[in-house]
Amino acid sequence: MTTDFRPAGSPLLPVAALVAGMVSLQSGAALAKTLFPVVGASGVSALRVGFSALILLAVWRPWRRSLPMRDAGWILLYGVALGLMNLLFYRALLTIPLGPAVAIEFAGPLTVALSASRRLFDVAWIGLAVLGLGLLLPLGGAGALDPVGVAYALGAALAWALYILFGQRAGRAHGGQAVSLGMLTAALVIAPFGLAEAGTALFEPATLASGLVVAVMSSALPYSLEMVALRRLDRQVFGVMMSVEPAIASLAAMAILGERLGPVQWFAIACVIVASVGITARSRPRPAPGAP
């Protein structure tokens, strides 16, 4: 079964779409951080996921399809993992910069990818990823970060790994139905935390407008652009390109928030990126039943 499903044509459009999606996603995360003084990290997370859920429900209208009970259970777990991933990631941004937070969160998908690997050479990529993460952890080094923020980022990494595993199971349902109901579940998980932290400030018109912008930039637009890229790029190329996201996050945070990283932190992020590229480039896509 071939993994090359690109139609004839220039690769510039899908590559540009993927890069634009990553820039939009991380710029949205940086803008979200500017709302922390108004509604807190939990409040921003509730706004982003809540508006994203409304957008996806309007687009996919999942109620039009019946949902088997076994799929409903996996979608529930998928949505809970998605909600915790968003909530913990935004809590991490309270005390650590965006770029390192994204790099630490990458430990989740890297662990999932490595768990399926049986190649001895992949031990080198594990070592490189551990080196990068070790330089970011609060171990007293020059690039050490706030322990609480790192703990939240590691929690987000665990939630991301569970999101991948549960998402594979939830994907047995119709894709649009699974993602829209999963996002609705995530919104319901986060809502109590957002309301507890922000209270009525969450419903101020200016705050709602800002939350909608964050939701579009961080969810609706990048996911749509990624879909354009996925339809025209080899999956392996797509995965390799996505590995540079921690660097894009760092640049977005520097431009929007003025967050500047030290040489050790940039080196640590580079280690995570190279490990991710190495693991992705050597992976062998496994065909799933019904996959295109």
Side-chain angles (χ1 to χ4, degrees), residues 32 35-46 90-91 94 194 197-198 202:
L35 291 175
F36 284 4
V38 181
V39 292
S42 301
V44 174
S45 182
Y90 278 124
R91 297 293 302 178
L94 281 170
E197 183 169 8
L202 205 62

Side-chain angles (χ1 to χ4, degrees), residues 35-102:
L35 291 175
F36 284 4
V38 181
V39 292
S42 301
V44 174
S45 182
L47 287 172
R48 175 197 169 177
V49 176
F51 276 119
S52 297
L54 291 176
I55 292 170
L56 289 172
L57 289 171
V59 170
W60 291 109
R61 291 175 284 179
W63 53 84
R64 297 183 301 171
R65 295 174 178 269
S66 61
L67 182 65
M69 188 58 65
R70 66 171 189 174
D71 291 340
W74 288 115
I75 289 175
L76 177 64
L77 292 173
Y78 163 74
V80 171
L82 175 60
L84 291 176
M85 180 177 69
N86 279 274
L87 180 63
L88 293 171
F89 179 73
Y90 278 124
R91 297 293 302 178
L93 294 185
L94 281 170
T95 56
I96 65 176
L98 177 60
V102 173

Side-chain angles (χ1 to χ4, degrees), residues 162-188:
L162 294 175
Y163 161 82
I164 294 170
L165 298 175
F166 294 148
Q168 290 173 341
R169 297 284 189 171
R172 294 182 304 190
H174 182 268
Q177 185 184 46
V179 72
S180 56
L181 292 178
M183 191 67 77
L184 175 61
T185 303
L188 294 175

Side-chain angles (χ1 to χ4, degrees), residues 181-280:
L181 292 178
M183 191 67 77
L184 175 61
T185 303
L188 294 175
V189 168
I190 297 174
F193 297 94
L195 289 170
E197 183 169 8
T200 57
L202 205 62
F203 304 103
E204 293 290 335
T207 302
L208 290 173
S210 299
L212 178 59
V213 171
V214 168
V216 170
M217 292 186 64
S218 299
S219 298
L221 182 57
Y223 294 164
S224 300
L225 291 170
E226 284 176 12
M227 185 58 66
V228 171
L230 266 172
R231 290 181 183 275
R232 294 168 174 82
L233 286 176
D234 181 276
R235 289 185 180 91
Q236 219 168 42
V237 175
F238 179 90
V240 168
M241 289 191 63
M242 289 291 289
S243 299
V244 305
E245 199 155 17
I248 292 177
S250 299
L251 294 174
M254 184 168 60
I256 296 173
L257 301 171
E259 292 181 350
R260 299 188 180 276
L261 305 180
V264 172
Q265 292 172 331
W266 275 112
F267 178 72
I269 290 173
C271 289
V272 173
I273 290 173
V274 173
S276 179
V277 169
I279 293 165
T280 304

Side-chain angles (χ1 to χ4, degrees), residues 97-171:
L98 177 60
V102 173
I104 294 171
E105 193 187 27
F106 256 61
L110 284 177
T111 300
V112 173
L114 288 168
S115 67
S117 174
R118 298 295 182 269
R119 299 184 182 90
L120 183 62
F121 189 77
D122 285 339
V123 173
W125 303 125
I126 296 174
L128 192 59
V130 169
L131 172 62
L133 293 173
L135 291 172
L136 293 174
L137 295 181
L139 302 177
L145 301 171
D146 174 70
V148 175
V150 168
Y152 278 126
L154 289 172
L158 174 60
W160 194 352
L162 294 175
Y163 161 82
I164 294 170
L165 298 175
F166 294 148
Q168 290 173 341
R169 297 284 189 171

